Amino acid sequence: MTSPVLVFDVEPNSFETAEADKDYFLAATHLLFNESGFRKWQGDDSHEEAAARLFRGAVRSLVITLAEKGCRLITRETDQVIPGVPVTPVDTTGAGDTFNATFVTALLKGYSEKDACHLANRAAARSVGIMGARSGAVSWESVLMTLTK
């Protein structure tokens, strides 16, 4: 049986203040931030201090999306950048949602956080190369096929 997964997609407008909403963050198993959302959480702390505050709770991984640069995966054991996939952007609408949905799906299918980040980067890159938020939505098999390219 897999352990429960609780994921939050954290953007700057999705929480009031780090102090006011910290209980929600600490209850999550995985947190997905964009860069500005993490900066809001970080406040005056260093990047490392802000991440350490999150690991006081149930958090197993923290992912910060970095647009075309990929994402930063932070766990209790590692802090690494998973490079993005080069693409000529056509429409960035839905890229974050595509990344997040792919990351969560990969976790639920048993992939490691690192592999989930690789898959999510590839899915998001595919989504920005096509016009329209729904045009980039594809099957799980299509996402997996990007690994062979």
Side-chain angles (χ1 to χ4, degrees), residues 17-19 22 26 35 37-56 62 64 72:
T17 66
E19 186 56 35
K22 72 177 180 188
L26 296 178
E35 289 178 282
F38 190 76
R39 274 194 301 275
K40 183 175 177 181
W41 166 264
Q42 184 177 344
D44 294 330
D45 287 349
S46 71
H47 188 89
E48 293 74 21
E49 291 168 331
R53 279 191 286 133
L54 292 168
F55 288 111
R56 292 182 191 142
L62 162 65
I64 304 167
R72 185 170 181 178

Side-chain angles (χ1 to χ4, degrees), residues 122-140:
R122 290 183 173 281
R126 184 192 186 289
S127 79
V128 302
I130 300 170
M131 180 56 72
R134 290 186 175 188
S135 300
V138 296
S139 69
W140 180 249

Side-chain angles (χ1 to χ4, degrees), residues 9 11 32-34 63-71 85 87-104 116-137 143:
D9 170 19
E11 296 182 10
L32 301 168
F33 285 90
N34 61 27
V63 177
I64 304 167
T65 57
L66 307 171
E68 70 278 357
K69 294 178 294 230
C71 65
V85 176
V87 64
T88 301
V90 174
D91 183 0
T92 60
T93 307
D97 292 333
T98 299
F99 180 96
N100 295 342
T102 304
F103 181 83
V104 171
C117 285
H118 281 290
L119 286 164
N121 280 342
R122 290 183 173 281
R126 184 192 186 289
S127 79
V128 302
I130 300 170
M131 180 56 72
R134 290 186 175 188
S135 300
V143 172

